[in-house]
Amino acid sequence: MPRGKFITFEGGEGSGKSTQASHLVSFLGGQGIETVLTREPGGVPFAEQLREIILAKKPASPNTEFLLFAAARCEHIAGLIEPVLSLGQWVVCDRYIDSTRVYQGRLAGIEPELIATVERHTVGAVYPDLTFILDVNPRIGVARAQARGELSRYDSASDAEHMTVRQGFLDIAAAEPMRCVVVDGSEDENEIARQIASVVDRRMLQQG
Ligand code: TYD
């Protein structure tokens, strides 16, 4: 049984990544590929409990937050991502390692060496096969998130912090062009879904 593919979605607030992750799962279903949709932090009960703690209140030390995200990821990989991929099913995940690199690394100031070391130990071999970075002007993204009443505590961030997040994701995409595909998140929802499906089709389905 061939191992399943692992696809992640990344981007700033209101970039539309959760919506597009769902579209991709529907597309894959239509191709006869069993796919599990999940998210970080969360995905399994233990990690969902950590999510509630992490997102409720900013801890005094950025290290606390960083390590809790890592702990939640360990549980998610062990309890869901790895077993599902081993079964030959695909996993689509809303946020993963790049969110840690950007939010904890760029915004919260955790040293890049520590981020990289913990990432290696946390993730092991479970790196995404493909990552879509939904890129949108933070003004549009935050307005969208506000309109949906879905402001996470990061939405109180300043314009400069939102720009740092945006640039952080774009820098990762530039550094890892084989893994990352940047998609213009300001386009029409269905058009973006079509673009994403076409990348997956070309890169993963036609090659079997
Ligand atoms: P969520 O409500 O899922 O935000 P969004 O709808 O934008 O995905 O909250 C997740 C928040 O957690 C988000 O603001 C980014 C942050 N985050 C990190 O800081 N580090 C991480 O490793 C992950 C996975 C998320």
Side-chain angles (χ1 to χ4, degrees):
M1 162 98 60
R3 190 174 166 82
K5 301 283 188 199
F6 182 27
I7 301 173
T8 58
F9 282 79
E10 301 276 7
E13 312 298 319
S15 59
K17 64 191 168 37
S18 311
T19 308
Q20 291 302 331
S22 302
H23 277 300
L24 178 59
V25 171
S26 306
F27 168 75
L28 291 171
Q31 304 294 309
I33 296 173
E34 277 189 75
T35 308
V36 174
L37 176 61
T38 186
R39 67 172 179 182
E40 289 216 340
V44 292
F46 194 100
E48 288 289 336
Q49 281 182 291
L50 287 176
R51 177 189 176 93
E52 279 184 32
I53 296 169
I54 300 169
L55 298 186
K57 188 172 178 292
K58 199 174 180 60
S61 162
N63 279 325
T64 310
E65 186 179 57
F66 168 60
L67 294 170
L68 285 173
F69 277 117
R73 182 161 303 136
C74 287
E75 287 302 300
H76 191 201
I77 293 169
L80 187 146
I81 300 175
E82 177 55 34
V84 169
L85 294 174
S86 301
L87 281 174
Q89 295 177 11
W90 290 29
V91 174
V92 170
C93 189
D94 185 351
R95 293 197 185 281
Y96 195 58
I97 49 173
D98 302 307
S99 286
T100 302
R101 293 181 188 179
V102 169
Y103 287 92
Q104 279 64 58
R106 293 279 185 114
L107 272 192
I110 307 292
E111 307 77 45
E113 299 75 29
L114 184 58
I115 299 260
T117 304
V118 171
E119 179 183 295
R120 271 199 312 278
H121 285 276
T122 307
V123 166
V126 188
Y127 276 88
D129 297 296
L130 183 59
T131 296
F132 288 103
I133 291 179
L134 277 281
D135 180 56
V136 78
N137 183 319
R139 285 182 197 281
I140 299 175
V142 171
R144 277 183 189 163
Q146 273 168 346
R148 288 200 307 255
E150 284 177 7
L151 285 176
S152 77
R153 65 186 171 78
Y154 293 87
D155 292 314
S156 57
S158 66
D159 286 355
E161 287 171 321
H162 283 297
M163 287 312 293
T164 300
V165 168
R166 183 185 196 187
Q167 193 57 49
F169 284 122
L170 291 177
D171 289 348
I172 292 171
E176 294 184 56
M178 297 297 284
R179 171 173 70 90
C180 301
V181 175
V182 179
V183 178
D184 180 356
S186 64
E187 295 237 26
D188 169 71
E189 177 183 328
N190 292 320
E191 168 57 21
I192 298 172
R194 200 195 55 71
Q195 286 175 19
I196 288 173
S198 125
V199 171
V200 170
D201 184 40
R202 202 171 57 244
R203 289 208 190 184
M204 296 173 144
L205 299 180
Q206 287 178 22
Q207 293 169 5

